[in-house]
């Protein structure tokens, strides 16, 4: 099954795919709770599993695999879903052990061949399925598949498939299980931050006083095979392996291997799903209540303070912009001020931003600006440029508002002609 990182799936994505393959798409390209049931339908179709012919499906603990919808579908079709212990898929998952290695090698080879045959071109999403087909048929063979189940000890079942040295890397993080430790009746005298080590049965090495011992007084598997001789010192006594500190408490849920289709596990998944649905319902209810409060709040039209440095909006009266006019006695206009001028047409009123060039008795000489469109926040911080040869005398009665002094980006000759106003002009029909 192919999962493409696209919002909408196209059939063209599957050109040249292996026969019988299925395609889907998600926003991230990863399996999610919606596409996982689709894969189960695809699996049921090809394996023909029934309640009389059950199937074991071994998978990791991905969150999408543990959805209630998927578990119900698997249980109704008699699919036993068994999850692996955390951090063990590299040794216990057959695909990781025997299939993915040859597949990646052959896929890279097919990719190199395509690029040599198509010099100067880039591989797109439409070539992926065809390249996978070349590698898939050569890598995922019955021999590799059966070898994967055998080398992981799944079938034929072999609980001793992993040697002792395979567990050696976990020695530094090996901690005693607190649930199996007896209750302490007195203060602990151990210097180990994880507490005293669990007591084991005495071995032949423990009975031999000449056997080299580790920092805890226990015979090491590596040292127990060394013949005892006078003056022998184990390397572990000179430089003992470090031990991990106690685990920090986190809110992340600890997962473990489980049969998801068993009744207790299914009930736990149902309970988790109900809690999540309640939480989502609560969030939606809170969003609706906030939306109602916003609708009830009176709308107030704002324009920023005339101060050049201030970003605090000052509310206007409840008049609409269409009725907003400057005071007849407002003569506080000087050369270099910026104003919003009203032009009444037959059908509507338009506003233009102008720069005062000259002040006379009843009118002003104005250099008009044109609005620069295209920026996402064009009304929150509108930007204008000088409109050449657009100068006119305007009666003072047509001045709607005196605008705050704009900011000038500067830097180049073109940017020096731009003016960004620290005010919101949305709803004023500014041209």
């Amino acid at each position: 099954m192919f999962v493409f990182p696209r919002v909408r799936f196209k059939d063209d994505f599957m050109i040249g795919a292996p026969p019988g393959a299925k395609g889907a798409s998600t926003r991230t390209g990863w399996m999610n709770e919606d596409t996982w049931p689709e894969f189960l339908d695809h699996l049921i179709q090809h394996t023909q599993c029934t309640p009389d012919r059950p199937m074991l499906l071994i998978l990791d603990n991905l969150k999408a695999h543990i959805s209630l919808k998927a578990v119900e579908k698997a249980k109704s079709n008699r699919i036993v879903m068994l999850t692996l212990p955390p951090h063990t898929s590299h040794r216990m998952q057959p695909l990781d052990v025997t299939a993915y290695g040859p597949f990646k090698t052959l896929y890279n080879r097919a990719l190199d061949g395509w690029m040599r045959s198509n010099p100067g071109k880039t591989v797109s999403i439409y070539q992926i399925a065809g390249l996978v087909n070349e590698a898939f048929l050569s890598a995922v063979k019955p021999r590799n598949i059966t070898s994967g189940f055998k080398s992981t000890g799944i079938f034929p079942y072999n609980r001793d498939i992993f040697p002792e040295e395979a567990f050696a890397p976990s020695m530094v993080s090996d901690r005693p299980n607190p649930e199996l430790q007896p209750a302490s009746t007195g203060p602990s005298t151990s210097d180990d931050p994880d507490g005293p080590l669990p007591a084991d049965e005495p071995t032949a090495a423990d009975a031999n006083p000449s056997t080299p011992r580790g920092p805890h007084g226990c015979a090491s598997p590596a040292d127990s095979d060394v013949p005892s001789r006078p003056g022998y010192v184990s390397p572990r006594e000179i430089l003992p392996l470090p031990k991990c500190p106690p685990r920090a408490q986190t809110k992340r849920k600890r997962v473990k291997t489980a049969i998801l289709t068993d009744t207790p596990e299914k009930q736990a998944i149902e309970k988790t799903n109900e809690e999540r649905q309640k939480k989502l319902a609560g969030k939606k209810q809170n969003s609706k209540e906030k939306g109602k409060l916003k609708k009830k709040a009176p709308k107030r039209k704002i324009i920023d303070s005339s101060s050049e440095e201030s970003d605090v909006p000052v509310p206007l009266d409840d008049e609409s912009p269409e009725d907003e006019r400057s005071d007849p006695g407002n003569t506080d206009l000087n050369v270099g001020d910026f104003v919003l001028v009203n032009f009444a047409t037959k059908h509507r009123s338009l506003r233009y931003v102008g720069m005062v060039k000259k002040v006379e008795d009843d009118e002003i000489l104005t250099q008009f600006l044109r609005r620069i469109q295209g920026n996402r926040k064009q009304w929150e911080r509108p930007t204008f440029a000088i409109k050449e040869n657009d100068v006119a005398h305007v009666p003072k009665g047509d001045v709607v508002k005196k605008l705050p002094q704009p900011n000038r980006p500067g830097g180049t000759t073109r940017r020096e002609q731009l003016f960004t106003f620290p005010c919101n002009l949305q709803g004023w029909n500014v041209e």
Side-chain angles (χ1 to χ4, degrees):
M1 181 172 177
F2 291 82
V3 182
F4 295 96
R6 293 291 185 274
V7 176
R8 294 179 179 85
F9 175 77
K10 296 181 180 180
D11 293 335
D12 294 344
F13 295 163
M14 298 295 290
I15 294 176
K22 181 179 177 60
S25 65
T26 62
R27 187 177 296 274
T28 61
W30 291 92
M31 186 74 72
N32 57 26
E33 295 184 3
D34 296 325
T35 53
W36 177 244
E38 294 182 24
F39 172 77
L40 290 179
D41 291 333
H42 182 61
L43 183 67
I44 293 168
Q45 175 186 353
H46 285 273
T47 58
Q48 299 180 0
C49 58
T50 61
D52 298 331
R53 189 170 178 266
M55 179 183 63
L56 174 64
L57 178 60
I58 301 173
L59 62 160
D60 56 19
N61 286 280
L62 183 66
K63 187 177 180 181
H65 295 160
I66 314 177
S67 65
L68 181 60
K69 183 179 179 181
V71 172
E72 289 178 345
K73 183 183 290 292
K75 191 164 187 177
S76 61
N77 290 275
R78 199 64 176 91
I79 299 177
V80 180
M81 297 175 62
L82 173 64
T83 61
L84 295 171
H87 313 296
T88 60
S89 60
H90 65 294
R91 298 298 297 265
M92 297 186 66
Q93 194 173 47
L95 278 174
D96 284 357
V97 175
T98 60
Y100 281 159
F103 172 74
K104 290 179 180 179
T105 300
L106 293 173
Y107 176 77
N108 290 332
R109 189 178 300 171
L111 193 62
D112 292 339
W114 188 93
M115 288 189 290
R116 287 192 178 94
S117 302
N118 299 270
K121 294 183 179 180
T122 304
V123 177
S124 69
I125 197 172
Y126 299 98
Q127 282 86 42
I128 297 297
L131 296 173
V132 167
N133 185 29
E134 297 181 25
F136 186 83
L137 297 179
S138 301
V140 187
K141 295 180 178 180
R143 180 184 295 274
N144 289 350
I145 295 172
T146 54
S147 176
F149 284 99
K150 182 178 180 180
S151 58
T152 53
I154 296 174
F155 185 84
Y157 178 66
N158 183 3
R159 64 179 303 169
D160 300 320
I161 191 68
F162 302 115
E164 289 295 330
E165 55 267 20
F167 300 93
S170 64
M171 185 181 300
V172 295
S173 60
D174 187 20
R175 300 177 179 87
N177 189 346
E179 298 178 358
L180 302 180
Q181 298 302 309
S184 177
T185 57
S188 175
T189 58
S190 174
D191 295 333
D192 194 338
D194 294 330
L197 293 177
D200 295 328
E201 293 294 331
T203 61
D206 295 332
N208 186 2
S210 62
T211 301
R213 300 181 180 275
H216 296 290
C218 299
S220 168
D223 296 336
S224 60
D225 297 334
V226 179
S228 60
R229 56 182 180 270
Y232 174 79
V233 179
S234 171
R236 189 170 300 178
E237 295 181 7
I238 301 174
L239 185 63
L241 292 174
K243 294 288 287 186
C244 290
R247 289 186 181 275
Q249 296 296 330
T250 60
K251 295 182 179 180
R252 187 177 64 178
K253 184 180 178 181
R254 300 283 298 276
V255 295
K256 59 182 180 179
T257 179
I259 301 177
L260 301 180
T261 47
D262 274 3
T263 301
E265 296 292 337
K266 183 174 179 293
Q267 290 175 348
I269 295 173
E270 290 175 347
K271 183 178 179 181
T272 303
N273 185 70
E274 290 177 0
E275 293 176 354
R276 185 170 60 177
Q277 294 299 329
K278 289 181 181 179
K279 188 179 294 185
L280 292 176
K283 289 183 179 179
K284 290 181 180 179
Q285 184 65 25
N286 293 337
S287 300
K288 289 181 180 179
E289 292 177 356
K290 290 181 180 178
K292 290 179 181 179
L293 292 175
K294 288 182 179 179
K295 290 181 180 179
K296 291 180 180 179
K299 293 184 178 179
R300 308 180 71 187
K301 298 177 177 57
I302 61 173
I303 188 168
D304 287 356
S305 169
S306 59
S307 173
E308 181 180 359
E309 301 298 332
S310 176
D311 288 333
V312 181
V314 179
L316 296 176
D317 298 332
D318 291 335
E319 302 178 45
S320 66
E322 297 295 330
D323 298 330
E324 183 73 12
R325 308 288 293 180
S326 61
D327 296 332
N330 182 15
T331 58
D332 188 19
L333 294 177
N334 302 309
V335 175
D337 289 342
F338 290 84
V339 293
L340 194 62
V341 182
N342 180 73
F343 282 87
T345 63
K346 184 177 181 180
H347 302 286
R348 60 173 181 165
S349 294
L350 300 176
R351 271 90 182 190
Y352 292 88
V353 174
M355 181 173 60
V356 179
K357 305 288 288 184
K358 184 179 180 182
V359 180
E360 299 179 357
D361 293 338
D362 297 329
E363 60 183 14
I364 57 175
L365 182 65
T366 307
Q367 168 75 60
F368 289 101
L369 312 179
R370 59 182 177 86
R371 181 165 57 87
I372 304 297
Q373 301 183 3
N375 54 328
R376 296 174 60 182
K377 297 183 178 180
Q378 56 182 345
W379 291 117
E380 296 179 8
R381 293 290 183 271
T383 302
F384 293 80
I386 293 179
K387 200 173 182 179
E388 296 182 1
N389 302 324
D390 195 353
V391 182
H393 286 85
V394 178
K396 288 185 177 181
D398 289 341
V399 176
V400 178
K401 282 291 177 187
K402 180 180 177 181
L403 300 177
Q405 286 294 322
N407 301 319
R408 305 183 68 172
T412 62
T413 304
R414 180 176 177 273
R415 288 175 62 85
E416 287 179 354
Q417 304 298 319
L418 300 180
F419 301 87
T420 301
F421 289 89
C423 59
N424 193 335
L425 297 178
Q426 188 172 6
W428 289 84
N429 290 334
V430 179
E431 294 294 328

